[in-house]
């Protein structure tokens, strides 16, 4: 995630200025499409309304073809129908200070989202206030409620659900931690505070997935993908740096071919294919419609890529592409 200093704040932080400059350089005119195997047939399926702060941050898919997204700056959860229409499910209460004390970014935002088998949505909200920052739940047809408070000094970001243990895992991009919370809610437990999760000045631990008995985590500042085994007693194993050199990496998804992933590179405006040995190549670029991609998910052979346009401030959208093989 990146701060759009024009839309949400007239006073840019030093980190945002640096990232904006990097993104502008990465998105210079003439960028060629990198659409290549295993992706094909990329198209923009839905355009979101930037005037309504519809900056899509994270995505969870449902069996009926719907996609559930968080609109970061609007503080909302929404459902995108298979036909591409958008329905707002919930708008989170604004903090009394307007969100200006949200760490690093300076605006309140909804971030990670997951969907349980019964249709319950779990999502994160960062406000810089102890009253609202935390893990929230939205049951079908219900209203959102906070089920676990998270540190106001942090920025909860990535979210993963382990249905086997009925646990939720949360990355904090400012504090450089992973916490665990039961799906029933309660007091979070710091699961890992490994140095590999730390930021180097902006945002650290970010995207989060569970596969093969391990948590997989991206670090935006360090451009890395980490694999952290979950031991039999639930404790943290030794952190393994699985891939490097992925500048601006945000969220990611496993392709179904072992440990191969597709990763959203926010600042450069690209999607990268990362092989099990850590080697990576660019498979989508701004020429394909990407504008600060934040999240990526997979249903069958269709990849869903969200672009928030945090820096480009032009066209937040949902891109679909076919995953071959």
């Amino acid at each position: 995630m990146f701060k759009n200093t024009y839309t949400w704040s007239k006073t840019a932080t030093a980190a945002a200025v640096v990232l904006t400059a990097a993104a502008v350089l990465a998105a210079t005119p003439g960028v060629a499409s990198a659409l290549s195997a295993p992706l094909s047939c990329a198209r923009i399926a839905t355009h979101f309304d930037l005037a309504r702060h519809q900056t899509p941050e994270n995505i969870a898919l449902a069996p009926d073809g719907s996609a559930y997204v968080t609109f970061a700056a609007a503080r909302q959860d929404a459902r995108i129908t298979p036909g591409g229409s958008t329905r707002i499910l919930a708008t989170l209460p604004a903090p009394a200070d307007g969100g200006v004390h949200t760490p690093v970014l300076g605006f309140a935002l909804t971030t990670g989202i997951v969907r349980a088998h019964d249709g319950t949505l779990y999502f994160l909200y960062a406000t810089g206030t102890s009253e609202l920052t935390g893990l929230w739940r939205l049951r079908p047809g219900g209203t959102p409620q906070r089920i676990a408070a998270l540190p106001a000094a942090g920025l909860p970001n990535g979210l993963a659900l382990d249905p086997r243990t009925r646990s939720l895992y949360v990355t904090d991009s400012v504090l450089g931690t992973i916490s665990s919370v039961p799906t029933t809610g309660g007091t979070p437990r710091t699961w890992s505070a490994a140095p590999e999760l730390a930021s180097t000045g902006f945002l650290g631990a970010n995207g989060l997935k569970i596969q093969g008995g391990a948590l997989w985590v991206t670090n935006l500042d360090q451009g890395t993908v980490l694999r952290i085994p979950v031991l039999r007693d639930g404790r943290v194993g030794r952190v393994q740096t699985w891939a490097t050199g992925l500048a601006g990496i945000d969220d990611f998804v496993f392709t179904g071919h072992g440990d191969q992933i597709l990763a959203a590179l926010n600042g450069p405006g690209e999607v990268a294919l990362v092989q099990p040995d850590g080697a990576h190549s660019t498979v989508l670029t701004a020429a394909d419609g990407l504008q600060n991609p934040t999240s990526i998910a997979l249903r069958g052979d269709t990849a869903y890529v969200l672009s928030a346009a945090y820096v480009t401030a032009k066209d937040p959208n949902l891109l679909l592409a076919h995953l071959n093989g």
Side-chain angles (χ1 to χ4, degrees):
M1 68 183 61
F2 288 72
K3 183 177 181 180
N4 180 336
T5 55
Y6 175 79
T7 304
W8 295 294
S9 173
K10 294 181 180 178
T11 305
T13 64
V17 170
V18 171
L19 286 166
T20 298
V24 169
L25 289 173
T28 49
V31 173
S33 170
L35 182 63
S36 59
L39 296 182
S40 62
C41 304
R43 64 182 180 87
I44 302 296
T46 304
H47 298 273
F48 301 116
D49 190 345
L50 193 61
R52 296 182 180 179
H53 306 306
Q54 291 182 348
T55 51
E57 172 60 28
N58 203 232
I59 187 169
L61 303 181
D64 68 356
S66 298
Y68 293 90
V69 305
T70 50
F71 286 140
R75 315 185 315 277
Q76 292 175 332
D77 296 329
R79 174 178 177 261
I80 313 303
T81 70
S85 63
T86 301
R87 176 192 169 201
I88 304 303
L89 301 177
T91 300
L92 276 290
D97 63 8
V100 296
H101 292 105
T102 304
V104 179
L105 300 179
F107 65 96
L109 66 161
T110 47
T111 53
I113 187 170
V114 295
R115 180 186 181 276
H117 290 303
D118 65 358
T120 298
L121 300 176
Y122 298 92
F123 57 96
L124 300 169
Y125 188 32
T127 68
T129 65
S130 58
E131 295 81 10
L132 294 171
T133 299
L135 172 66
W136 290 65
R137 178 176 63 204
L138 178 62
R139 291 191 170 110
T143 58
Q145 65 176 132
R146 189 173 72 160
I147 62 171
L150 291 167
L155 190 80
N157 196 340
L159 184 63
L161 169 64
D162 185 347
R164 181 181 59 86
T165 62
R166 297 182 180 180
S167 298
L168 292 149
Y169 291 91
V170 179
T171 61
D172 192 300
S173 297
V174 169
L175 300 180
T177 61
I178 300 173
S179 297
S180 64
V181 185
T183 55
T184 53
T187 303
R189 176 178 67 90
T190 300
W191 187 74
S192 178
E196 292 89 345
L197 301 172
S199 78
T200 58
F202 188 58
L203 299 175
N206 201 315
L208 180 63
K209 295 292 186 292
I210 299 174
Q211 169 151 303
L215 296 188
W216 296 69
V217 190
T218 64
N219 186 310
L220 188 146
D221 277 358
Q222 298 188 37
T224 54
V225 180
L226 309 171
R227 181 183 185 274
I228 311 178
V230 181
L231 303 182
R232 288 190 175 183
D233 60 2
R235 291 183 300 113
V236 60
R238 182 177 62 86
V239 179
Q240 304 159 6
T241 300
W242 180 73
T244 61
L246 295 159
I249 188 169
D250 200 321
D251 191 29
F252 66 102
V253 68
F254 289 97
T255 65
H257 296 280
D259 293 336
Q260 184 188 70
I261 69 171
L262 289 167
L265 307 186
N266 196 317
E270 299 173 352
V271 166
L273 177 70
V274 187
Q275 301 292 354
D277 63 359
H280 53 87
S281 59
T282 302
V283 292
L284 289 172
T285 69
D288 301 299
L290 299 183
Q291 297 199 28
N292 306 127
T294 52
S295 187
I296 187 164
L298 190 64
R299 177 191 286 113
D301 58 6
T302 301
Y304 292 65
V305 185
L306 291 179
S307 285
Y310 285 131
V311 172
T312 64
K314 291 180 180 178
D315 180 29
N317 61 57
L318 170 62
L319 178 147
L320 303 182
H322 182 75
L323 178 68
N324 301 299

Coordinates of all heavy atoms in Angstrom, one line a residue, residues 142-215:
G142 N -25.1 -9.3 8.6 CA -24.8 -8.6 9.9 C -24.2 -7.3 9.8 O -24.1 -6.7 8.7
T143 N -23.7 -6.8 10.9 CA -23.0 -5.5 11.0 C -21.6 -5.8 11.5 O -21.3 -6.8 12.3 CB -23.7 -4.5 11.9 OG1 -23.8 -5.1 13.2 CG2 -25.1 -4.2 11.4
P144 N -20.6 -5.0 11.1 CA -19.2 -5.3 11.5 C -19.0 -5.0 13.0 O -19.6 -4.1 13.6 CB -18.4 -4.3 10.7 CG -19.4 -3.2 10.3 CD -20.7 -3.8 10.2
Q145 N -18.2 -5.9 13.6 CA -17.8 -5.7 15.0 C -16.3 -6.1 15.2 O -15.8 -7.0 14.5 CB -18.6 -6.6 15.9 CG -18.5 -8.1 15.8 CD -19.2 -8.9 16.8 OE1 -19.9 -9.8 16.4 NE2 -19.1 -8.5 18.0
R146 N -15.6 -5.3 16.0 CA -14.2 -5.6 16.3 C -14.2 -6.8 17.3 O -14.8 -6.7 18.3 CB -13.5 -4.4 16.9 CG -12.0 -4.6 17.0 CD -11.3 -3.3 17.4 NE -11.5 -3.0 18.8 CZ -10.7 -2.1 19.5 NH1 -9.7 -1.6 18.9 NH2 -11.0 -1.9 20.8
I147 N -13.4 -7.8 17.0 CA -13.3 -9.0 17.8 C -11.9 -9.1 18.5 O -11.7 -9.9 19.4 CB -13.6 -10.3 17.1 CG1 -12.6 -10.5 15.9 CG2 -15.0 -10.2 16.5 CD1 -12.8 -11.9 15.3
A148 N -11.0 -8.2 18.1 CA -9.7 -8.2 18.7 C -9.0 -6.8 18.5 O -9.0 -6.3 17.4 CB -8.7 -9.3 18.2
A149 N -8.6 -6.2 19.6 CA -7.8 -5.0 19.5 C -6.4 -5.2 19.1 O -5.8 -6.2 19.6 CB -7.9 -4.2 20.8
L150 N -5.8 -4.4 18.2 CA -4.4 -4.5 17.8 C -3.8 -3.2 18.1 O -4.4 -2.2 18.3 CB -4.3 -4.8 16.3 CG -4.8 -6.3 15.9 CD1 -5.0 -6.4 14.4 CD2 -3.8 -7.3 16.5
P151 N -2.4 -3.2 18.3 CA -1.7 -2.0 18.7 C -2.0 -0.7 17.8 O -1.8 -0.8 16.6 CB -0.3 -2.4 18.7 CG -0.3 -3.8 18.8 CD -1.5 -4.3 18.1
A152 N -2.4 0.4 18.4 CA -2.7 1.6 17.7 C -1.4 2.1 17.1 O -1.5 2.9 16.1 CB -3.3 2.6 18.6
A153 N -0.3 1.8 17.6 CA 1.0 2.2 17.1 C 1.5 1.5 15.9 O 2.5 1.8 15.3 CB 2.1 2.2 18.2
G154 N 0.7 0.4 15.5 CA 1.1 -0.4 14.4 C 0.2 -0.2 13.2 O -0.7 0.7 13.2
L155 N 0.4 -1.0 12.2 CA -0.4 -0.9 11.0 C -0.7 -2.4 10.5 O 0.0 -3.0 9.7 CB 0.4 -0.2 9.8 CG -0.5 0.1 8.6 CD1 -1.4 1.3 8.9 CD2 0.3 0.3 7.4
P156 N -1.8 -3.0 11.1 CA -2.2 -4.3 10.7 C -2.5 -4.3 9.2 O -3.2 -3.5 8.7 CB -3.4 -4.6 11.5 CG -3.9 -3.3 11.9 CD -2.7 -2.4 12.1
N157 N -1.9 -5.3 8.5 CA -2.0 -5.3 7.0 C -2.4 -6.6 6.4 O -3.5 -6.7 5.9 CB -0.6 -4.8 6.5 CG -0.6 -4.4 5.1 OD1 -1.5 -4.7 4.3 ND2 0.4 -3.6 4.7
G158 N -1.6 -7.6 6.4 CA -1.9 -8.9 5.8 C -2.7 -9.8 6.8 O -2.5 -9.7 8.0
L159 N -3.5 -10.6 6.2 CA -4.4 -11.5 7.0 C -4.5 -12.9 6.4 O -4.7 -13.0 5.2 CB -5.8 -10.9 7.2 CG -6.8 -11.6 8.1 CD1 -6.3 -11.6 9.5 CD2 -8.2 -10.8 8.0
A160 N -4.4 -13.9 7.2 CA -4.5 -15.3 6.7 C -5.3 -16.1 7.7 O -5.2 -15.9 8.9 CB -3.2 -15.9 6.4
L161 N -6.2 -17.0 7.2 CA -7.0 -17.8 8.0 C -6.5 -19.3 7.9 O -6.4 -19.8 6.8 CB -8.5 -17.7 7.5 CG -9.5 -18.7 8.1 CD1 -9.6 -18.6 9.6 CD2 -10.8 -18.6 7.4
D162 N -6.3 -19.9 9.1 CA -6.0 -21.3 9.1 C -7.3 -22.1 9.7 O -7.5 -22.1 10.9 CB -4.8 -21.6 10.0 CG -4.4 -23.1 10.0 OD1 -5.2 -23.9 9.5 OD2 -3.3 -23.4 10.6
P163 N -8.1 -22.6 8.8 CA -9.4 -23.2 9.2 C -9.1 -24.5 10.1 O -10.0 -24.8 10.9 CB -10.1 -23.6 7.9 CG -9.0 -23.6 6.9 CD -8.0 -22.7 7.3
R164 N -7.9 -25.1 9.9 CA -7.7 -26.3 10.7 C -7.6 -26.0 12.2 O -8.1 -26.7 13.0 CB -6.3 -26.9 10.2 CG -5.9 -28.2 10.9 CD -4.6 -28.7 10.3 NE -3.6 -27.7 10.5 CZ -2.8 -27.6 11.6 NH1 -3.1 -28.4 12.6 NH2 -1.9 -26.7 11.7
T165 N -6.9 -24.9 12.5 CA -6.7 -24.5 13.9 C -7.7 -23.4 14.3 O -7.6 -23.0 15.5 CB -5.3 -24.0 14.2 OG1 -5.0 -22.9 13.4 CG2 -4.3 -25.1 13.8
R166 N -8.5 -22.9 13.4 CA -9.4 -21.8 13.6 C -8.6 -20.6 14.2 O -9.0 -20.0 15.1 CB -10.5 -22.2 14.6 CG -11.4 -23.3 14.0 CD -12.5 -23.7 15.0 NE -13.4 -24.8 14.4 CZ -14.4 -25.3 15.0 NH1 -14.8 -24.8 16.2 NH2 -15.1 -26.2 14.4
S167 N -7.5 -20.3 13.5 CA -6.7 -19.2 13.9 C -6.6 -18.2 12.7 O -6.6 -18.6 11.6 CB -5.3 -19.7 14.3 OG -5.4 -20.5 15.4
L168 N -6.4 -17.0 13.1 CA -6.1 -15.9 12.1 C -4.7 -15.4 12.4 O -4.4 -15.2 13.5 CB -7.2 -14.8 12.2 CG -8.6 -15.2 11.7 CD1 -9.6 -14.4 12.5 CD2 -8.7 -15.0 10.2
Y169 N -4.0 -15.1 11.3 CA -2.6 -14.6 11.5 C -2.6 -13.2 10.8 O -3.2 -13.0 9.8 CB -1.6 -15.5 10.8 CG -1.4 -16.8 11.5 CD1 -2.1 -17.9 11.2 CD2 -0.4 -16.9 12.6 CE1 -1.9 -19.1 11.9 CE2 -0.2 -18.1 13.2 CZ -1.0 -19.2 12.9 OH -0.8 -20.4 13.5
V170 N -2.0 -12.2 11.5 CA -2.0 -10.8 11.1 C -0.5 -10.3 11.0 O 0.2 -10.5 12.0 CB -2.7 -10.0 12.1 CG1 -2.7 -8.5 11.7 CG2 -4.2 -10.5 12.3
T171 N -0.2 -9.7 9.9 CA 1.1 -9.0 9.8 C 0.9 -7.6 10.2 O -0.1 -7.0 9.9 CB 1.7 -9.0 8.4 OG1 0.8 -8.4 7.5 CG2 2.0 -10.4 7.9
D172 N 1.9 -7.0 10.8 CA 2.0 -5.6 11.1 C 3.1 -5.0 10.4 O 4.3 -5.3 10.7 CB 2.1 -5.3 12.6 CG 1.8 -3.9 13.0 OD1 2.5 -3.0 12.5 OD2 0.8 -3.6 13.8
S173 N 2.9 -4.1 9.5 CA 3.9 -3.5 8.6 C 4.8 -2.5 9.3 O 5.9 -2.2 8.8 CB 3.2 -2.9 7.3 OG 2.6 -3.9 6.6
V174 N 4.3 -1.9 10.4 CA 5.1 -0.9 11.1 C 5.9 -1.6 12.2 O 7.1 -1.3 12.4 CB 4.2 0.2 11.6 CG1 5.0 1.1 12.6 CG2 3.7 1.0 10.5
L175 N 5.2 -2.4 13.0 CA 5.9 -3.1 14.1 C 6.7 -4.3 13.7 O 7.6 -4.7 14.5 CB 4.8 -3.6 15.1 CG 3.9 -2.5 15.7 CD1 3.0 -3.0 16.7 CD2 4.8 -1.4 16.4
G176 N 6.6 -4.8 12.5 CA 7.4 -5.9 12.0 C 7.1 -7.2 12.7 O 8.0 -7.9 13.2
T177 N 5.8 -7.5 12.9 CA 5.4 -8.7 13.6 C 4.3 -9.5 12.9 O 3.7 -9.0 11.9 CB 4.8 -8.3 15.0 OG1 3.6 -7.5 14.8 CG2 5.8 -7.6 15.8
I178 N 4.2 -10.7 13.3 CA 3.0 -11.6 13.0 C 2.3 -11.9 14.3 O 3.0 -12.5 15.2 CB 3.4 -12.8 12.2 CG1 4.1 -12.5 10.9 CG2 2.2 -13.7 11.9 CD1 4.7 -13.7 10.2
S179 N 1.0 -11.7 14.3 CA 0.2 -12.1 15.5 C -0.8 -13.1 15.2 O -1.2 -13.2 14.0 CB -0.5 -10.8 16.1 OG 0.5 -9.9 16.6
S180 N -1.2 -13.9 16.2 CA -2.3 -14.9 15.9 C -3.5 -14.5 16.8 O -3.3 -14.0 18.0 CB -1.8 -16.3 16.2 OG -1.4 -16.4 17.6
V181 N -4.7 -14.8 16.3 CA -5.9 -14.5 17.0 C -6.9 -15.6 16.7 O -7.0 -16.0 15.6 CB -6.6 -13.2 16.6 CG1 -7.8 -12.9 17.4 CG2 -5.6 -12.0 16.7
P182 N -7.6 -16.2 17.7 CA -8.6 -17.2 17.4 C -9.7 -16.6 16.6 O -10.0 -15.3 16.7 CB -9.1 -17.6 18.8 CG -8.1 -17.2 19.8 CD -7.4 -16.0 19.2
T183 N -10.4 -17.4 15.8 CA -11.5 -16.8 15.0 C -12.7 -16.3 15.9 O -13.5 -15.6 15.4 CB -12.1 -17.9 14.0 OG1 -12.4 -19.1 14.7 CG2 -11.0 -18.2 12.9
T184 N -12.7 -16.8 17.1 CA -13.7 -16.3 18.0 C -13.3 -14.9 18.6 O -14.2 -14.3 19.3 CB -13.9 -17.3 19.2 OG1 -12.6 -17.6 19.8 CG2 -14.5 -18.6 18.7
G185 N -12.1 -14.5 18.4 CA -11.7 -13.2 18.9 C -10.9 -13.3 20.2 O -10.7 -14.5 20.7
G186 N -10.5 -12.2 20.8 CA -9.8 -12.3 22.0 C -8.5 -11.5 21.9 O -8.3 -10.6 21.1
T187 N -7.6 -11.8 22.8 CA -6.3 -11.1 22.9 C -5.3 -11.7 21.9 O -5.0 -12.9 22.0 CB -5.7 -11.2 24.3 OG1 -6.7 -10.7 25.3 CG2 -4.4 -10.4 24.5
P188 N -4.8 -10.8 21.0 CA -3.8 -11.3 20.1 C -2.5 -11.8 20.8 O -2.1 -11.3 21.9 CB -3.5 -10.1 19.2 CG -4.6 -9.2 19.4 CD -5.1 -9.4 20.8
R189 N -1.8 -12.8 20.2 CA -0.5 -13.3 20.7 C 0.5 -13.0 19.6 O 0.3 -13.3 18.4 CB -0.6 -14.8 21.0 CG 0.7 -15.4 21.4 CD 0.5 -16.9 21.8 NE 0.1 -17.6 20.6 CZ 1.1 -18.2 19.8 NH1 2.4 -18.1 20.0 NH2 0.7 -19.0 18.8
T190 N 1.6 -12.4 20.0 CA 2.7 -12.2 19.0 C 3.3 -13.5 18.7 O 3.9 -14.2 19.6 CB 3.8 -11.2 19.6 OG1 3.1 -9.9 19.8 CG2 4.9 -11.0 18.6
W191 N 3.2 -13.9 17.5 CA 3.7 -15.2 17.0 C 5.2 -15.1 16.6 O 6.0 -16.0 16.8 CB 2.8 -15.7 15.9 CG 3.2 -17.1 15.5 CD1 2.9 -18.3 16.1 CD2 3.8 -17.5 14.3 NE1 3.3 -19.4 15.4 CE2 3.9 -18.9 14.3 CE3 4.4 -16.8 13.2 CZ2 4.5 -19.7 13.2 CZ3 5.0 -17.5 12.2 CH2 5.0 -18.9 12.2
S192 N 5.5 -14.0 15.9 CA 6.9 -13.8 15.5 C 7.2 -12.3 15.4 O 6.4 -11.5 15.0 CB 7.2 -14.4 14.1 OG 8.5 -14.2 13.6
A193 N 8.4 -12.0 15.8 CA 8.9 -10.6 15.7 C 10.3 -10.7 15.1 O 11.2 -10.0 15.4 CB 8.9 -9.9 17.0
A194 N 10.5 -11.7 14.2 CA 11.8 -11.9 13.5 C 12.3 -10.6 12.8 O 11.5 -9.9 12.2 CB 11.7 -13.1 12.5
P195 N 13.6 -10.4 12.8 CA 14.1 -9.2 12.2 C 13.8 -9.1 10.7 O 13.7 -8.0 10.1 CB 15.6 -9.2 12.5 CG 15.9 -10.7 12.9 CD 14.6 -11.1 13.5
E196 N 13.6 -10.3 10.1 CA 13.3 -10.3 8.6 C 11.9 -9.7 8.3 O 11.7 -9.4 7.2 CB 13.3 -11.7 8.1 CG 14.7 -12.4 8.1 CD 15.0 -13.1 9.4 OE1 14.3 -12.8 10.4 OE2 16.0 -13.9 9.4
L197 N 11.1 -9.5 9.4 CA 9.8 -8.9 9.2 C 9.8 -7.3 9.3 O 8.8 -6.7 8.9 CB 8.8 -9.4 10.2 CG 8.6 -10.9 10.2 CD1 7.8 -11.3 11.5 CD2 7.9 -11.4 9.0
A198 N 10.9 -6.8 9.7 CA 11.0 -5.4 10.0 C 11.0 -4.5 8.7 O 11.5 -4.9 7.7 CB 12.2 -5.1 10.9
S199 N 10.5 -3.3 8.9 CA 10.7 -2.3 7.8 C 12.0 -1.7 7.8 O 12.8 -1.8 8.8 CB 9.6 -1.2 8.0 OG 10.0 -0.3 8.9
T200 N 12.4 -1.0 6.8 CA 13.6 -0.2 6.7 C 13.3 1.3 6.6 O 14.2 2.0 6.2 CB 14.5 -0.7 5.6 OG1 13.8 -0.5 4.3 CG2 14.9 -2.1 5.7
G201 N 12.1 1.6 7.0 CA 11.8 3.1 7.0 C 10.3 3.3 6.6 O 9.8 4.4 6.8
F202 N 9.7 2.4 5.9 CA 8.3 2.6 5.4 C 7.4 1.5 5.9 O 6.9 1.6 6.9 CB 8.3 2.8 3.9 CG 7.0 3.2 3.3 CD1 6.4 4.4 3.7 CD2 6.3 2.4 2.4 CE1 5.2 4.8 3.2 CE2 5.1 2.8 1.9 CZ 4.5 4.0 2.3
L203 N 7.3 0.4 5.1 CA 6.5 -0.7 5.5 C 7.2 -2.0 5.3 O 7.8 -2.3 4.3 CB 5.2 -0.8 4.6 CG 4.3 0.5 4.7 CD1 3.2 0.3 3.7 CD2 3.7 0.6 6.1
G204 N 7.2 -2.9 6.4 CA 7.8 -4.2 6.3 C 6.9 -5.3 6.0 O 6.3 -5.3 4.9
A205 N 6.7 -6.2 7.0 CA 5.8 -7.4 6.7 C 4.5 -7.0 6.1 O 3.8 -6.1 6.6 CB 5.6 -8.2 8.0
N206 N 4.1 -7.7 5.1 CA 2.9 -7.2 4.3 C 2.0 -8.4 4.0 O 1.2 -8.8 4.8 CB 3.4 -6.5 3.1 CG 2.4 -5.6 2.5 OD1 1.2 -5.9 2.3 ND2 2.8 -4.4 2.1
G207 N 2.1 -8.9 2.8 CA 1.2 -10.0 2.4 C 1.4 -11.3 3.1 O 2.6 -11.5 3.6
L208 N 0.4 -12.1 3.3 CA 0.5 -13.3 4.1 C -0.4 -14.4 3.6 O -1.5 -14.2 3.2 CB 0.0 -12.9 5.5 CG 0.0 -14.0 6.6 CD1 1.4 -14.5 6.9 CD2 -0.6 -13.4 7.9
K209 N 0.2 -15.6 3.5 CA -0.5 -16.8 3.0 C 0.0 -18.0 3.9 O 1.0 -18.0 4.4 CB -0.3 -17.1 1.5 CG -0.8 -16.0 0.6 CD -2.3 -16.0 0.6 CE -2.9 -15.0 -0.5 NZ -2.6 -13.6 -0.2
I210 N -0.9 -19.1 3.9 CA -0.5 -20.3 4.5 C -0.4 -21.4 3.5 O -1.3 -21.6 2.7 CB -1.6 -20.7 5.6 CG1 -1.7 -19.6 6.7 CG2 -1.2 -22.0 6.2 CD1 -2.8 -19.8 7.7
Q211 N 0.7 -22.1 3.5 CA 0.9 -23.3 2.6 C 1.9 -24.2 3.1 O 3.0 -23.8 3.6 CB 1.2 -22.8 1.2 CG 1.7 -24.0 0.2 CD 1.4 -23.8 -1.2 OE1 0.3 -23.6 -1.6 NE2 2.4 -23.9 -2.0
G212 N 1.7 -25.5 3.0 CA 2.7 -26.5 3.3 C 3.2 -26.4 4.7 O 4.4 -26.6 4.9
G213 N 2.4 -26.2 5.7 CA 2.8 -26.1 7.0 C 3.7 -24.9 7.4 O 4.4 -25.0 8.3
A214 N 3.5 -23.9 6.6 CA 4.3 -22.6 6.9 C 3.5 -21.4 6.6 O 2.5 -21.4 5.8 CB 5.6 -22.7 6.0
L215 N 3.9 -20.3 7.2 CA 3.4 -19.0 6.8 C 4.4 -18.4 5.8 O 5.6 -18.5 6.0 CB 3.3 -18.1 8.1 CG 2.3 -18.4 9.2 CD1 2.2 -17.3 10.2 CD2 0.9 -18.8 8.6

